[in-house]
Amino acid sequence: MSEQGVTVGHLLLAEYQTVKDEQKTRIGFRDNLLYVTLAVVAAVIAAAAQAKEPAMLLALPPVCVVLGWTYLVNDEKISAIGLYVRDELGPRLAQAAASGTDFSTFGWESFHRRDARRRSRKAIQCVVDLVAFCAVPLAALVVFWVSGDGGGLMLGLSLVEALAVCGLGVQVVLYTRPAGPALTPA
């Protein structure tokens, strides 16, 4: 190939840059979803308290489920990109380099995962996610139920919302997995 031609190595590096850019964008978006959730929760609680209308709290569960699911999907894609770089792209680039030595590409992708406190941070993050996206809307539902201000339709709606929040909670726990190969359904 000529000096100006595109090599496999160049293509792999371009792919690496592209997926890392996507990962960086998703990280920023994911992290901002927690702040958005906190702002929405504060606004709804303040409005419900000011209006003395507990039924307004029924807005929290669907908002928290949508924001929580979006957070979870982005978090999974961030992890999937890291796994792809570590297990697919890195080895292909090392092979293309054909250095004849034990050459490892993108060492940071594996190195940072070996931190002794990683498991505890992941567990704490799982608790934070459960509180932000599940415990808060469930608490809002309890306040609504205790107030006794709902008719049959509102009570039915609140029960559906409770099921949706619990479903999200199950998914948050399921997506919290230790380092290792991706768990992809067949």
Side-chain angles (χ1 to χ4, degrees):
M1 231 179 213
S2 71
E3 282 186 32
Q4 294 179 351
V6 176
T7 66
V8 171
H10 288 115
L11 291 173
L12 292 172
L13 286 173
E15 181 181 8
Y16 170 75
Q17 189 60 54
T18 301
V19 296
K20 290 304 282 186
D21 287 346
E22 178 182 347
Q23 187 181 48
K24 180 179 164 184
T25 300
R26 284 182 179 276
I27 288 169
F29 182 73
R30 176 204 60 194
D31 292 352
N32 283 328
L33 284 171
L34 275 173
Y35 302 124
V36 169
T37 302
L38 289 173
V40 168
V41 165
V44 170
I45 289 173
Q50 187 174 13
K52 295 183 175 141
E53 190 61 50
M56 292 175 73
L57 294 173
L58 293 180
L60 281 180
V63 168
C64 288
V65 166
V66 169
L67 292 172
W69 181 252
T70 306
Y71 177 94
L72 193 60
V73 167
N74 273 280
D75 190 59
E76 191 281 327
K77 293 302 178 208
I78 291 163
S79 296
I81 289 169
L83 181 65
Y84 176 74
V85 168
R86 274 190 318 280
D87 293 356
E88 297 290 328
L89 195 55
R92 286 180 18 219
L93 186 59
Q95 183 181 18
S99 63
T101 64
D102 189 20
F103 177 67
S104 176
T105 56
F106 312 126
W108 175 250
E109 297 291 338
S110 296
F111 178 79
H112 77 94
R113 298 174 66 80
R114 296 191 301 252
D115 178 14
R117 295 188 191 121
R118 185 169 190 278
R119 282 192 184 272
S120 64
R121 276 196 318 274
K122 290 205 50 102
I124 291 167
Q125 186 63 54
C126 181
V127 169
V128 168
D129 296 347
L130 287 169
V131 168
F133 299 116
C134 300
V136 169
L138 286 175
L141 288 169
V142 168
V143 169
F144 170 73
W145 293 329
V146 168
S147 76
D149 279 351
L153 184 60
M154 295 299 268
L155 180 61
L157 173 65
S158 70
L159 292 174
V160 170
E161 289 180 346
L163 289 173
V165 171
C166 289
L168 176 63
V170 167
Q171 291 302 309
V172 167
V173 171
L174 290 176
Y175 273 86
T176 301
R177 61 183 183 257
L183 303 174
T184 49

